[in-house]
Amino acid sequence: MNKTIFTLFICIFIHFQCKKTQDVLSSIKNKIIDGYWADINGLKLDIKNNESKVLDYGSSQLKNYSNYFNKNSTPYIKNITRTSEDSWSADIVVRKYDGNECIGISYEKINITLSDSNNSQSLKLSKSDFGATLFTKLPASYTPPVVNSACDTSSKVYQNSNNTLEIYDLGISKFNNIEVRSFYRKPTYGAGCNYIFQTYNTEYPKGTVGAAETEIIFGDRPSVNKVYKVIDMKNKIFRLESDEVGIKYLNNFYSTGVEGEKLYVSSEGGKVKMKADTILTKNSSYNSKITIDLEGY
């Protein structure tokens, strides 16, 4: 074998060895990064390519900031970049403050490291603003929840028969027997639809207090015998979660999501009923407390 052929053979050998090494590194990356992970609070992440989305909030504090963070459209971690065989740099969601008030979210740099022991993989985050920093890889049998991404905005589902809404405003007056129409509506951002119960009162002009314009907004069509958490609806632009409800009242009052406020959905005499007591609503100038009693949808 002359020197030229030998040199060519060595170059080809090195080329294929380098390619093989790259393929191995790529498979390592896919094995480590792509997958489902959970922390001790039940916060579940889907890590894919260079970002991760939230599959389930669990008991994480992140759920309390749904006005700014929507798990169907906002990455929890983004710009994931490998820095060594078992470490990465990335950007993670953190709260943004004006003084002591949270005014939104932003991202900060973190490091991520992998540990592998007893056939179990864990990811350690150098920082987490919303709870635990250690995530364990979920078993291969784990099935992620289905995201409701469909929204037929062309066909509204009106159900007018015996829908009546009673609102008692502790600061103003009582509104009775207001007809309610229900329909799906796509939010400004995010997958899926919100399910809306909206008043329809022809006895008073639209925009007046007597019309008692109200929207009761759910993430999905409400289920019987379920309790819904009332959330802050001011500036809400994402689809609500399946266990959330928000109120828009008198056209410019919004539920504020005070801790512990609930709306109860039940069934009585073949009719579905909703009840909520003393929900705090406010606009830019005033606070108001309302109770809601809806039946017949």
Side-chain angles (χ1 to χ4, degrees):
M1 183 183 296
N2 63 40
K3 185 175 181 181
T4 302
I5 295 175
F6 179 76
T7 303
L8 180 61
F9 173 80
I10 292 297
C11 289
I12 292 171
F13 176 79
I14 292 173
H15 168 77
F16 280 104
Q17 284 299 108
C18 288
K19 187 176 186 305
K20 184 177 179 181
T21 302
Q22 289 171 354
D23 290 342
V24 169
L25 286 175
S26 177
S27 68
I28 289 173
K29 176 182 177 182
N30 290 333
K31 180 183 178 184
I32 294 171
I33 292 296
D34 291 359
Y36 304 121
W37 305 79
D39 72 2
I40 194 172
N41 300 310
L43 178 65
K44 294 184 176 66
L45 303 180
D46 177 11
I47 301 181
K48 187 179 297 181
N49 298 323
N50 66 341
E51 69 175 27
S52 79
K53 293 284 185 66
V54 172
L55 296 171
D56 191 327
Y57 287 118
S59 60
S60 167
Q61 297 176 27
L62 183 60
K63 187 173 184 178
N64 300 328
Y65 295 87
S66 58
N67 264 16
Y68 310 115
F69 183 92
N70 180 267
K71 67 185 181 69
N72 294 324
S73 56
T74 311
Y76 181 69
I77 301 173
K78 63 181 184 177
N79 300 327
I80 300 173
T81 306
R82 179 184 288 279
T83 54
S84 72
E85 185 176 339
D86 58 359
S87 64
W88 298 260
S89 66
D91 300 316
I92 194 169
V93 162
V94 294
R95 284 166 280 202
K96 184 168 59 176
Y97 288 93
D98 181 5
N100 293 323
E101 182 182 358
C102 178
I103 58 172
I105 61 169
S106 60
Y107 288 87
E108 288 187 7
K109 285 286 183 190
I110 60 165
N111 295 317
I112 305 173
T113 54
L114 171 80
S115 62
D116 193 345
S117 61
N118 298 323
N119 295 320
S120 176
Q121 291 182 321
S122 298
L123 289 180
K124 175 74 173 177
L125 313 183
S126 60
K127 175 175 182 173
S128 173
D129 199 21
F130 294 99
T133 57
L134 188 66
F135 285 79
T136 334
K137 194 163 191 179
L138 293 169
S141 58
Y142 172 72
T143 304
V146 176
V147 176
N148 179 13
S149 59
C151 183
D152 182 4
T153 55
S154 63
S155 61
K156 294 184 176 181
V157 187
Y158 288 121
Q159 297 177 312
N160 298 327
S161 177
N162 297 320
N163 274 327
T164 57
L165 174 65
E166 177 182 290
I167 301 174
Y168 180 59
D169 188 319
L170 300 182
I172 304 176
S173 58
K174 188 172 183 177
F175 306 104
N176 288 310
N177 300 322
I178 305 167
E179 184 181 347
V180 178
R181 294 177 175 180
S182 55
F183 56 93
Y184 291 98
R185 184 169 68 203
K186 188 172 179 61
T188 308
Y189 298 103
C193 280
N194 291 322
Y195 194 81
I196 316 293
F197 290 85
Q198 188 177 63
T199 60
Y200 182 73
N201 191 352
T202 56
E203 295 181 17
Y204 296 89
K206 184 176 175 61
T208 66
V209 172
E213 294 169 39
T214 303
E215 287 188 353
I216 306 172
I217 305 162
F218 293 84
D220 296 307
R221 183 167 178 165
S223 303
V224 173
N225 299 325
K226 187 170 178 178
V227 180
Y228 292 83
K229 175 187 175 184
V230 179
I231 68 164
D232 186 351
M233 280 301 295
K234 185 178 181 182
N235 301 324
K236 183 68 178 177
I237 56 178
F238 293 114
R239 173 181 174 266
L240 275 61
E241 298 298 323
S242 61
D243 60 347
E244 294 178 339
V245 63
I247 314 295
K248 291 184 179 181
Y249 172 60
L250 293 184
N251 215 26
N252 64 354
F253 281 78
Y254 300 88
S255 59
T256 63
V258 172
E259 184 67 28
E261 287 182 338
K262 306 288 185 184
L263 185 145
Y264 299 85
V265 178
S266 61
S267 178
E268 185 177 312
K271 294 182 179 180
V272 174
K273 298 175 67 68
M274 294 182 197
K275 280 188 174 291
D277 295 322
T278 59
I279 293 174
L280 180 65
T281 61
K282 69 178 181 179
N283 61 15
S284 57
S285 304
Y286 301 101
N287 292 340
S288 180
K289 289 187 176 180
I290 64 171
T291 65
I292 290 176
D293 190 349
L294 170 67
E295 70 173 44
Y297 83 89

